[in-house]
């Protein structure tokens, strides 16, 4: 036990000795570190003192060097300014040969660069030596150059503002395309309208003029020059159309012109190209055909104006500064708008003049014109946005003007039907369809194809007519058509009374009613008319049946002669005949039978002779009437002939029984045909 304690005590004493030794070493290290720290601080203090001395020594040198650098920079700027000033004194000499020569047409950029130099020299001299001869010289050069630039602007503009040829405009509109032959003309491009290089030159000159001139005369000159070119292009197209209209050998119908508004590339519109390329082919045309060509030409002119305006807007946006574009644009397009409106008014006046002479074919041509104007009006409204109200309203006023003209003509058309003369000299001798009926139904077909346009014309006096929907327009047209048909029916009845032959009168009315009914059906007019009056179709069916009955009554006299059930006399006696043998008859009965055969033969021959001169142009109606005639006459004649052919009423039966049943049928088949 004691040994363990002694051992542990020794261990602890040795450990304590080691710790004491370590502690002494640590104290010695701390003392050494403190000594070194003090030494380092002394060294740093000395270094700081030396740096301060160095800074104090270098600072004056730095400041002096900076002053030297500033002086050097000032000297360099002064030398540069002197060089520039000296250059201003040489500008007149260096640029005179450019400004006074023809460099502007050869190298516009060089010329504009020279003008910039001259402008800078003027600015310098105006501030420093305004009275110097150098200022006067550069100012003179500047004025000369400015005038040259203005002249060059106008010269370039005029050289490249030539009116387009009518054929070029036709190609632009696609009028010369022929889908059947696979021919399609390439559209006119802005590069063809004005070359890009010229456009860039005009743009550069315009920017310079706008920046350096106090006036906008060059913009006014631009507007007037482009306006003249635009107007002459349209006028050339109009003049070519008018000069060629009397020489064109192409005939067109109103329906052909109506089709123009359905597509701008319709084959029928090749008429314009033909009149342009074959204007020398002299061939007299009817007045309505001339109007057809002029109408089509006008439609093309309206489309051409719209297309040309698009090109002009693109060109103007590249050349004219934004703030002046609207004014320039309005000056530029106003004469062309006035020209188009004037030509449209002339078409209306021409149609009105023709209508006053009861020639209504030209009013057909107003329909596609008004329809086309209504179609393109929204595009023109966009193009004219921001223009003066008088210009924005030109197309609306023209449409209203033509609507009023159309309304007047449509009213006059009904009056012309009512007042169409009913003299016998004005009547067809064969009772065929009257020309008035054909013209009227043709007119109504055109109305149906242009129901929306015609409806607007009829409602033009209505304050709300611009806001009418399609249903209101078509109902108004249907109402108008019923009035036309009513007026036509009354006039035809009056005309039919001029015939001395009542059966020819019936044939005349039947032909006309049948023609009207067939046209109403074939041209799909009934669905439109039935929107206003659902009984029209049934009315004409009823009227046709009545006229057929009147015509069939022409056989009543013959049928009465050969009737086999007449009471008394020969018929009663004959009813007692037997099929075998021949009974004796009295002389009075024989004479009665002879008289009946003679009367029938004569009456039948006269009737066939008269009715051969009757005309029924509708083959189906003609065949139906012939069939009904045979069914009414042949069986009764057969019964009559069979009944008396076996009696001993004459020794010469061939004298009285001239016709067999086949002969009667054949003769009935020859009516309505004057060639037999």
């Amino acid at each position: 036990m004691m040994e363990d304690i002694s051992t542990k005590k020794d261990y602890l004493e040795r450990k304590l000795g080691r710790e004491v030794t370590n502690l002494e070493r640590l104290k010695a290290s701390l003392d050494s570190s403190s000594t070194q720290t003090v030494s380092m601080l002394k060294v740093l203090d000395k270094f700081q003192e030396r740096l301060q001395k160095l800074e104090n020594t270098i600072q004056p040198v730095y400041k002096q060097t900076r002053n030297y650098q500033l002086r050097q920079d000032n000297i360099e700027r002064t030398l540069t300014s002197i060089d520039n000033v000296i250059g201003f004194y040489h500008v007149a000499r260096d640029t005179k040969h450019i400004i006074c020569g023809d460099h502007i047409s050869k190298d516009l950029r060089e010329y504009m660069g020279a003008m910039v130099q001259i402008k800078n020299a003027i600015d310098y001299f105006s501030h420093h030596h305004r009275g110097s001869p150098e200022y006067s010289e550069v100012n003179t050069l500047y004025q000369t150059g400015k005038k040259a630039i203005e002249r060059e602007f106008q010269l370039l503009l005029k050289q490249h503002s030539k009116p387009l040829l009518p054929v070029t405009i036709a190609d632009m509109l696609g009028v010369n395309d022929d889908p059947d032959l696979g021919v399609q003309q390439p559209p006119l491009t802005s590069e063809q309208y004005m070359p890009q290089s010229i456009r860039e030159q005009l743009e550069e000159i315009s920017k310079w003029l706008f920046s350096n001139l106090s006036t906008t005369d060059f913009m006014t000159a631009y507007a007037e020059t482009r306006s003249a070119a635009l107007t002459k292009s349209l006028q050339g197209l109009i003049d070519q159309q008018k000069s060629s209209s009397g020489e064109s050998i192409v005939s067109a119908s109103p329906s052909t012109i109506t089709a123009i508004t359905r597509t701008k590339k319709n084959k029928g519109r090749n008429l314009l190209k033909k009149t342009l390329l074959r204007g020398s082919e002299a061939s007299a045309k009817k007045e309505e055909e001339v109007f057809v060509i002029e109408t089509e030409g006008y439609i093309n002119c309206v489309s051409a104006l719209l297309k040309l305006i698009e090109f002009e807007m693109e060109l103007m946006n590249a050349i004219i500064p934004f703030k002046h574009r609207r004014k320039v644009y309005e000056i530029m397009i106003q004469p062309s708008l006035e020209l188009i409106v004037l030509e449209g008014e002339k078409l209306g006046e021409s149609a009105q003049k023709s209508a006053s002479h009861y020639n209504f074919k030209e009013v057909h041509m107003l329909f596609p014109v008004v329809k086309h104007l209504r179609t393109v009006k929204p595009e023109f409204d966009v193009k004219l946005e921001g223009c003066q109200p008088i210009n924005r309203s030109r197309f609306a006023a023209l449409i209203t003007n033509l609507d009023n003209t159309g309304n007047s003509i449509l009213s006059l058309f009904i009056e012309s039907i009512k007042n169409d003369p009913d003299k016998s000299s004005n009547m067809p001798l064969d009772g065929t369809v009257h020309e008035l009926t054909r013209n009227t139904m043709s007119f109504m077909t055109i109305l149906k194809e242009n129901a929306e346009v015609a409806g607007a014309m009829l409602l033009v006096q209505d304050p709300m007519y611009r806001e009418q929907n399609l249903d209101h327009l078509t109902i108004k047209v249907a109402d108008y058509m019923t009035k036309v048909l009513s007026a036509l029916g009354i006039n035809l009845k009056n005309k039919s009374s001029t015939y001395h032959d009542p059966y020819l009168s019936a044939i005349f009315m039947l032909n006309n009613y049948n023609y009207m009914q067939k046209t109403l059906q074939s041209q799909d007019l009934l669905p439109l008319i039935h929107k206003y009056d659902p009984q029209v179709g049934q009315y004409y069916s009823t009227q046709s049946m009545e006229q057929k009955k009147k015509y069939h009554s022409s056989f009543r006299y013959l049928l009465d002669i050969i009737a086999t059930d007449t009471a008394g006399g020969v018929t009663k006696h004959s009813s007692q005949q037997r099929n075998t043998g021949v009974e004796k008859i009295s002389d009075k009965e024989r004479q009665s039978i002879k008289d009946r055969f003679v009367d029938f033969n004569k009456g039948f021959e006269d009737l066939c002779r008269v009715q051969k001169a009757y005309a029924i142009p509708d083959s189906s109606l003609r065949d139906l009437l012939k069939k009904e005639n045979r069914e009414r006459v042949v069986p009764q004649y057969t019964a009559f002939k069979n009944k008396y052919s076996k009696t001993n009423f004459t020794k010469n039966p061939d004298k009285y029984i001239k016709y067999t049943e086949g002969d009667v049928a054949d003769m009935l088949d020859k009516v309505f045909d004057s060639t037999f």
Side-chain angles (χ1 to χ4, degrees):
M1 183 69 176
M2 290 299 292
E3 290 177 359
D4 292 337
I5 294 173
S6 176
T7 301
K8 189 173 182 178
K9 179 179 179 183
D10 290 339
Y11 171 75
L12 292 174
E13 287 177 352
R14 286 194 302 272
K15 186 175 180 180
L16 178 60
R18 288 195 298 270
E19 293 297 331
V20 170
T21 301
N22 290 338
L23 182 60
E24 290 176 351
R25 289 176 181 173
L26 180 60
K27 287 181 178 179
S29 177
L30 288 173
D31 292 340
S32 175
S33 177
S34 296
T35 302
Q36 291 176 0
T37 300
V38 172
S39 299
M40 182 60 70
L41 289 174
K42 291 179 180 179
V43 172
L44 290 175
D45 289 340
K46 291 180 180 180
F47 183 72
Q48 184 175 4
E49 291 176 2
R50 290 178 180 179
L51 285 177
Q52 186 64 44
K53 290 179 181 180
L54 179 61
E55 183 179 357
N56 293 336
T57 302
I58 293 176
Q59 189 71 27
V61 176
Y62 173 76
K63 291 181 179 179
Q64 188 175 7
T65 303
R66 184 183 177 191
N67 291 334
Y68 288 152
Q69 184 65 43
L70 291 174
R71 291 174 183 177
Q72 182 180 357
D73 292 342
N74 290 335
I75 291 171
E76 290 178 355
R77 284 195 294 269
T78 301
L79 291 175
T80 302
S81 298
I82 291 173
D83 289 339
N84 290 336
V85 170
I86 293 173
F88 292 147
Y89 282 90
H90 296 161
V91 164
R93 181 195 65 192
D94 296 339
T95 60
K96 185 174 183 180
H97 71 284
I98 298 176
I99 301 302
C100 297
D102 58 351
H103 281 70
I104 190 170
S105 60
K106 296 179 180 179
D107 192 339
L108 179 63
R109 292 188 181 278
E110 181 184 16
Y111 196 93
M112 301 300 286
M115 288 296 292
V116 170
Q117 295 180 46
I118 295 173
K119 183 66 167 62
N120 292 335
I122 290 176
D123 292 340
Y124 170 79
F125 288 121
S126 64
H127 286 87
H128 300 93
H129 302 286
R130 192 174 187 87
S132 65
E134 287 81 5
Y135 173 78
S136 177
E137 187 174 4
V138 293
N139 189 55
T140 301
L141 278 178
Y142 183 76
Q143 297 301 324
T144 301
K146 184 172 64 174
K147 293 179 181 179
I149 291 175
E150 288 187 88
R151 286 197 304 270
E152 181 67 12
F153 182 82
Q154 296 183 15
L155 181 62
L156 282 175
L157 193 62
K158 290 180 180 179
Q159 287 178 343
H160 297 276
S161 296
K162 303 298 183 182
L164 294 178
L165 295 175
V167 173
T168 303
I169 297 177
D171 291 338
M172 177 185 70
L173 298 176
V175 173
N176 303 327
D177 295 350
D178 192 337
D180 293 343
L181 298 178
V183 176
Q184 185 173 1
Q185 299 294 335
L188 183 69
T189 63
S190 57
E191 175 69 20
Q192 294 172 307
Y193 196 68
M194 178 173 286
Q196 184 65 26
S197 59
I198 302 301
R199 188 177 306 197
E200 291 174 354
Q201 291 183 51
L202 289 172
E203 181 180 1
E204 184 175 356
I205 294 175
S206 174
K207 289 179 180 178
W208 190 92
L209 292 174
F210 179 69
S211 301
N212 294 277
L213 294 186
S214 58
T215 67
T216 57
D217 292 345
F218 77 96
M219 298 183 196
T220 303
Y222 173 89
E224 292 174 351
T225 301
R226 295 306 303 173
S227 175
L230 181 60
T231 305
K232 289 179 181 178
S233 295
L234 293 175
Q235 188 65 59
L237 182 61
I238 293 171
D239 293 343
Q240 179 65 51
Q241 190 67 42
K242 290 181 178 180
S243 64
S244 301
S245 60
E247 301 172 355
S248 172
I249 64 173
V250 181
S251 176
S253 65
S255 59
T256 300
I257 297 304
T258 303
I260 295 171
T261 59
R262 297 175 185 166
T263 170
K264 294 182 178 180
K265 294 184 178 181
N266 189 285
K267 183 179 178 181
R269 295 184 65 185
N270 287 332
L271 179 60
L272 176 62
K273 177 70 171 181
K274 293 177 182 177
T275 58
L276 294 174
L277 298 182
R278 301 192 297 176
S280 60
E281 298 180 25
S283 177
K285 299 306 296 177
K286 296 179 181 178
E287 182 179 352
E288 59 269 21
E289 292 175 343
V290 173
F291 193 74
V292 165
I293 300 172
E294 292 179 352
T295 300
E296 182 180 349
Y298 181 73
I299 291 175
N300 287 329
C301 286
V302 174
S303 299
L305 176 60
L306 185 62
K307 188 65 178 177
L308 292 175
I309 284 178
E310 292 177 2
F311 282 120
E312 289 296 339
M313 288 185 69
E314 180 183 353
L315 184 62
M316 179 191 67
N317 290 339
I319 297 174
I320 302 300
F322 178 79
K323 64 181 294 185
H324 296 282
R325 288 175 187 170
R326 182 53 59 185
K327 179 181 178 181
V328 169
Y329 177 70
E330 191 156 14
I331 295 174
M332 183 171 59
I333 67 171
Q334 182 170 338
S336 298
L337 285 175
E338 293 174 349
L339 175 63
I340 289 298
V341 171
L342 178 62
E343 291 299 318
E345 292 173 347
K346 287 181 180 179
L347 286 177
E349 292 171 358
S350 177
Q352 183 72 60
K353 182 179 179 180
S354 296
S356 66
H357 295 92
Y358 291 162
N359 178 6
F360 296 94
K361 292 184 178 180
E362 290 190 10
V363 73
H364 299 177
M365 312 310 167
L366 285 184
F367 293 146
V369 169
V370 175
K371 185 175 182 178
H372 187 68
L373 289 174
R374 291 187 188 280
T375 300
V376 301
K377 182 179 178 297
E379 297 182 67
F380 274 104
D381 289 342
V382 173
K383 298 292 187 296
L384 298 175
E385 186 176 354
C387 293
Q388 295 181 5
I390 188 173
N391 287 326
R392 293 202 308 270
S393 62
R394 287 188 188 277
F395 270 88
L398 175 60
I399 293 173
T400 301
N401 185 324
L402 294 179
D403 280 343
N404 278 306
T405 300
N407 180 280
S408 174
I409 294 175
L410 291 173
S411 299
L412 189 59
F413 180 71
I414 292 182
E415 292 300 318
S416 72
I417 295 175
K418 293 179 180 179
N419 299 326
D420 193 75
D422 52 10
K423 300 178 181 179
S424 58
S425 60
N426 191 37
M427 296 295 291
L429 298 178
D430 54 6
T432 190
V433 179
H434 199 278
E435 182 181 6
L436 176 64
T437 303
R438 297 182 186 276
N439 292 339
T440 301
M441 299 311 295
S442 174
F443 189 89
M444 290 181 60
T445 300
I446 299 297
L447 282 181
K448 179 252 180 182
E449 294 174 353
N450 299 273
E452 185 175 355
V453 177
M457 290 179 174
L458 293 168
L459 289 170
V460 68
Q461 305 299 333
D462 189 331
M464 303 296 293
Y465 99 102
R466 294 184 184 276
E467 302 177 7
Q468 298 289 347
N469 58 37
L470 182 59
D471 287 339
H472 290 157
L473 298 177
T474 53
I475 290 174
K476 186 63 179 179
V477 172
D479 176 19
Y480 176 80
M481 286 183 172
T482 58
K483 293 178 181 178
V484 170
L485 291 174
S486 176
L488 178 60
I490 293 173
N491 187 276
L492 291 175
K493 287 181 181 179
N494 293 335
K495 291 181 184 301
S496 67
S497 64
T498 63
Y499 287 112
H500 299 296
D501 182 352
Y503 308 118
L504 180 58
S505 175
I507 287 293
F508 172 76
M509 293 302 297
L510 177 59
N511 277 329
N512 284 274
Y513 281 136
N514 179 72
Y515 183 84
M516 294 162 69
Q517 186 177 18
K518 288 290 184 69
T519 303
L520 291 173
Q521 293 171 348
S522 64
Q523 300 300 323
D524 290 330
L525 293 171
L526 283 178
L528 174 59
I529 296 176
H530 283 173
K531 290 183 178 181
Y532 181 79
D533 186 352
Q535 304 301 321
V536 170
Q538 182 59 41
Y539 171 79
Y540 284 106
S541 296
T542 302
Q543 291 299 315
S544 295
M545 291 298 298
E546 290 182 0
Q547 298 304 321
K548 284 171 64 177
K549 290 179 181 179
K550 290 181 181 179
Y551 163 71
H552 285 313
S553 67
S554 64
F555 290 90
R556 187 175 301 159
Y557 170 71
L558 294 178
L559 295 177
D560 288 343
I561 292 175
I562 60 176
T564 58
D565 57 351
T566 304
V570 176
T571 304
K572 181 178 180 181
H573 179 78
S574 300
S575 65
Q576 299 174 354
Q577 295 181 9
R578 301 292 184 265
N579 292 331
T580 59
V582 178
E583 296 185 5
K584 294 182 179 181
I585 57 176
S586 65
D587 292 340
K588 182 178 179 181
E589 290 175 330
R590 288 191 184 93
Q591 188 59 44
S592 176
I593 295 172
K594 292 178 182 179
D595 291 343
R596 293 177 69 184
F597 271 106
V598 170
D599 290 344
F600 173 81
N601 293 337
K602 184 177 184 304
F604 184 64
E605 291 168 356
D606 290 343
L607 184 144
C608 289
R609 175 179 51 78
V610 171
Q611 294 196 6
K612 279 183 180 181
Y614 293 178
I616 299 184
D618 185 354
S619 60
S620 59
L621 176 61
R622 183 169 63 247
D623 293 341
L624 177 62
L625 288 181
K626 288 181 179 181
K627 178 183 177 183
E628 291 176 348
N629 288 343
R630 291 194 303 271
E631 291 174 349
R632 292 169 64 86
V633 176
V634 174
Q636 191 163 336
Y637 176 76
T638 300
F640 175 74
K641 174 178 170 294
N642 291 340
K643 184 173 185 178
Y644 294 110
S645 62
K646 296 180 180 180
T647 62
N648 189 21
F649 74 92
T650 180
K651 294 181 179 179
N652 189 9
D654 292 340
K655 177 180 178 181
Y656 297 97
I657 307 177
K658 297 175 61 175
Y659 303 108
T660 65
E661 296 88 334
D663 294 335
V664 172
D666 289 342
M667 292 182 67
L668 289 173
D669 280 339
K670 294 178 181 178
V671 298
F672 313 133
D673 191 346
S674 60
T675 60
F676 291 101

